Amino acid sequence: MREYSYSERDFTFGQTMLTLRTAINLTQSSLAQYLGVSRRAVGDWESGNKYPKADNLKQFIALAIKHQAFEAGREAEEIRSLWQTARQKVRLDEVSLTELLSNARSSELSQANAAPTVVSSEVAMGELKVDWGDAPSVPTFYGRESELTELRKWVVEEECRVVSLLGLGGIGKSALAVNFMHQVAHHFEVVIWRSLRDTPDYETLLNGCLEILAPETLNQGSFNLEQRFSLLLKLLQSRRVLLVLDNLETLLEGGQNSGSMRPGYEDYSRLLRRVAETTHQSCLLLTSREKPIVLAALEGSLSPVRVLRLARLDTESCEQLLLDKDIAGSFVERAQLSEIFAGNPLALKMVAQTIVDLFEGEIAPYLEQGQVIFGGVRELLDQQFARLSPSEQTVLKWLAIMREPATLDELFAVLVKSTPRVWLLEAVEALHRRSLIERGEKPGSFTLQSVVLEYLSVRLTVEVADEPVQDPFTRPLETNFVQGQPKDYLQQSQDRYYPKTVPKSWGNSLLISVN
């Protein structure tokens, strides 16, 4: 029997499948392996793009019954509803269903009589209260097994109070948080997801959380802001709550005050600090492109406040992502594409769609275009670049020109002599906090991810074209040869982007005019 599909997404069916898989505590890959289907097939079911075959649905239902994923006392009703929603062409076998439910109840009774009562850290599904809010749909999820393991260790086993997922835009922070949230939901009494993308004020967020955690208490009388905040902390102590705040960077200031809350949002800093410092059994999971300063002093490998920086997606996962997008090319071409975009999942998805739309799915003609950072990827990086202070922008541009990891001393050497060293230290620290630079292999060195390097190279080319030919780096860079010849491979790379504006003889040390 074929796998049924339909023209419009069936979000109700997809959400039901996702909820049941979460209750069973399996990843998409694990469920796919159990059912003997592809992970992509499971993703299609959960996104509402396709329906499973009858045999696969029967296996899934049997597994869900075994793990008590259906509501107690309503199992048969929910299974019939699921079967009907899945638009199967054959009737549900009521005899088999009765046998499955009967065997499951017998097994439960046997286990109850044979084993003493054990206090478990996991919460029964009937007691779990989940508010997904506006959590994004993640029909396909690639890799990140080590990150999921680390998060589970910190949140479930070590009961960390605050965990921050940091990384460049598009690197997959929200997708990882959603996937992790589904996997560990059964370890909590309440799970809440809130996006900060639209910059809700502090009081709105606080009220929304309390309406889920203690609606009866709120209805009993009026509470001022401080009393509501105290109530939230008490609820985090008395109940096991997982609260996810997505896109925290939207509340942070741009320019010189990176990591600080924007005017009008200072109460969020207090919320983060108090949740981090107060003893409780809950967890606040944050996703952000930038690290909030208020948590920096509280973080540590043995502290209940941890940070997980997301690096590039591994090669195998990038390969799977590109194959799923149905673009054509050799293994080498796919690897080159993954390297250009530094294993950034969102960037790879965007460029894959561009390749399908403009190059009939062929990678080679796309790579022949040379300047490959454009469209949605460029817009994504434009947003982050616009948030930087002039000093941070200058350091990024010099790292792009130097095109290899540079130490602080090497960066300082290219600045005008009157520039204070503290200016450089603050700029580098801010860029690292914003996830725009990463440490090089050499101790004390810093470099750019390849996708950021390509973006800045194109940006510099455009800026140079807009400048007077005789002085292309006046705003904010001006060239002045002071050292010997650069390395051959660096000269070739520089020539690729600046063939008409940078003298062949200039070395790694140039002067910066700081405005």
Side-chain angles (χ1 to χ4, degrees):
M1 183 175 291
R2 67 184 180 88
E3 187 178 64
Y4 297 104
S5 61
Y6 38 93
S7 57
E8 295 184 3
R9 290 191 179 189
D10 188 338
F11 292 105
T12 300
F13 173 74
Q15 185 61 48
T16 301
M17 292 294 291
L18 179 60
T19 301
L20 289 171
R21 176 176 63 80
T22 301
I24 298 171
N25 195 27
L26 286 178
T27 63
Q28 285 186 347
S29 297
S30 299
L31 179 59
Q33 185 176 4
Y34 177 84
L35 298 178
V37 300
S38 67
R39 181 196 49 74
R40 185 175 183 178
V42 176
D44 283 338
W45 302 341
E46 295 182 356
S47 63
N49 282 327
K50 293 182 179 179
Y51 297 117
K53 298 176 182 178
D55 289 342
N56 294 145
L57 188 57
K58 288 177 183 178
Q59 284 182 277
F60 180 71
I61 289 172
L63 183 65
I65 291 174
K66 179 180 179 181
H67 288 267
Q68 303 176 36
F70 297 106
E71 183 179 343
R74 299 186 67 249
E75 295 92 343
E77 181 181 343
E78 290 189 358
I79 291 169
R80 293 187 187 101
S81 176
L82 175 63
W83 192 270
Q84 183 178 4
T85 305
R87 301 186 185 180
Q88 297 300 306
K89 300 298 183 181
V90 296
R91 291 180 178 275
L92 177 64
D93 188 340
E94 291 288 345
V95 175
S96 297
L97 174 60
T98 301
E99 291 179 356
L100 278 173
L101 293 174
S102 178
N103 292 337
R105 293 190 185 98
S106 298
S107 177
E108 290 173 27
L109 290 173
S110 299
Q111 293 177 7
N113 293 330
T117 301
V118 178
V119 178
S120 172
S121 62
E122 298 187 6
V123 181
M125 287 304 299
E127 302 173 7
L128 174 62
K129 180 184 291 187
V130 178
D131 188 317
W132 297 113
D134 49 1
S137 172
V138 185
T140 54
F141 185 75
Y142 303 91
R144 301 294 189 197
E145 294 299 332
S146 61
E147 289 90 342
L148 286 168
T149 299
E150 188 85 333
L151 285 175
R152 177 178 283 271
K153 177 184 176 184
W154 291 353
V155 174
V156 177
E157 299 176 18
E158 299 181 8
E159 298 188 351
C160 287
R161 300 170 196 157
V162 179
V163 174
S164 301
L165 295 179
L166 304 181
L168 189 66
I171 202 66
K173 303 178 293 296
S174 298
L176 176 61
V178 168
N179 196 273
F180 175 71
M181 192 172 167
H182 283 301
Q183 286 193 21
V184 303
H186 61 287
H187 289 277
F188 294 86
E189 296 175 65
V190 184
V191 177
I192 303 172
W193 177 288
R194 287 294 179 268
S195 172
L196 305 177
R197 182 179 291 108
D198 296 328
T199 60
D201 61 68
Y202 169 73
E203 187 171 3
T204 299
L205 176 82
L206 183 59
N207 289 342
C209 291
L210 291 177
E211 285 171 2
I212 297 168
L213 293 169
E216 303 84 359
T217 303
L218 284 181
N219 293 333
Q220 290 175 2
S222 61
F223 297 86
N224 61 36
L225 194 60
E226 180 60 32
Q227 290 172 328
R228 279 174 281 171
F229 179 58
S230 298
L231 175 60
L232 175 64
L233 290 178
K234 290 180 180 178
L235 290 168
L236 295 181
Q237 292 173 326
S238 63
R239 307 181 71 177
R240 184 106 163 99
V241 180
L242 175 61
L243 172 59
V244 183
L245 298 183
D246 192 30
N247 302 119
L248 181 69
E249 73 277 354
T250 60
L251 306 182
L252 301 178
E253 283 205 77
Q256 299 285 3
N257 297 319
S258 67
S260 300
M261 292 294 171
R262 292 163 50 184
Y265 293 89
E266 294 86 354
D267 280 334
Y268 274 95
S269 289
R270 183 163 170 262
L271 170 66
L272 299 184
R273 185 178 64 254
R274 290 289 299 277
V275 172
E277 293 175 340
T278 304
T279 301
H280 56 79
Q281 59 176 328
S282 299
C283 180
L284 173 60
L285 181 63
L286 308 171
T287 76
S288 181
R289 298 178 188 177
E290 305 173 15
K291 180 190 291 188
I293 288 178
V294 67
L295 295 177
L298 302 172
E299 297 164 0
S301 59
L302 299 179
S303 166
V305 181
R306 308 278 175 87
V307 172
L308 180 61
R309 285 190 176 274
L310 292 196
R312 58 180 299 154
L313 204 60
D314 63 87
T315 303
E316 182 179 350
S317 297
C318 289
E319 173 78 0
Q320 184 61 50
L321 186 156
L322 292 175
L323 288 173
D324 286 351
K325 290 296 180 180
D326 295 325
I327 60 174
S330 67
F331 174 80
V332 173
E333 289 169 341
R334 291 194 299 272
Q336 184 179 351
L337 198 62
S338 298
E339 182 59 33
I340 289 172
F341 291 95
N344 186 298
L346 180 59
L348 285 173
K349 290 176 182 178
M350 287 179 173
V351 75
Q353 190 59 50
T354 297
I355 291 172
V356 169
D357 292 341
L358 301 184
F359 303 99
E360 298 181 348
E362 296 287 341
I363 297 177
Y366 172 81
L367 294 176
E368 291 171 2
Q369 304 307 306
Q371 295 183 353
V372 293
I373 305 297
F374 62 88
V377 180
R378 187 187 65 237
E379 292 171 6
L380 183 69
L381 291 169
D382 277 342
Q383 294 171 9
Q384 289 198 251
F385 190 81
R387 290 177 57 83
L388 305 181
S389 67
S391 59
E392 293 166 41
Q393 291 180 358
T394 299
V395 170
L396 275 189
K397 290 177 179 179
W398 276 107
L399 285 171
I401 291 172
M402 297 169 79
R403 305 192 73 79
E404 66 175 359
T407 64
L408 291 173
D409 286 339
E410 289 168 340
L411 281 170
F412 190 69
V414 304
L415 305 179
V416 292
K417 294 182 179 179
S418 60
T419 302
R421 182 176 284 268
V422 67
W423 175 90
L424 174 63
L425 292 173
E426 289 176 349
V428 170
E429 180 185 26
L431 288 171
H432 189 259
R433 187 162 56 241
R434 295 185 193 273
S435 306
L436 282 169
I437 62 174
E438 54 189 25
R439 293 186 177 90
E441 293 183 3
K442 182 179 179 181
S445 67
F446 297 88
T447 189
L448 302 174
Q449 292 185 16
S450 55
V451 66
V452 180
L453 176 59
E454 291 289 332
Y455 164 77
L456 286 166
S457 298
V458 174
R459 189 182 183 98
L460 279 170
T461 302
V462 173
E463 289 184 4
V464 165
D466 291 339
E467 295 286 354
V469 175
Q470 68 275 14
D471 194 11
F473 289 100
T474 300
R475 276 195 328 264
L477 311 176
E478 59 182 65
T479 61
N480 184 35
F481 166 58
V482 294
Q483 287 187 353
Q485 296 286 339
K487 298 174 183 177
D488 290 342
Y489 72 91
L490 285 178
Q491 185 69 70
Q492 294 170 4
S493 183
Q494 290 160 350
D495 287 348
R496 174 187 170 195
Y497 291 100
Y498 324 113
K500 297 180 181 179
T501 58
V502 178
K504 299 287 185 181
S505 58
W506 68 266
N508 289 344
S509 185
L510 304 177
L511 295 181
I512 290 183
S513 173
V514 182
N515 296 330

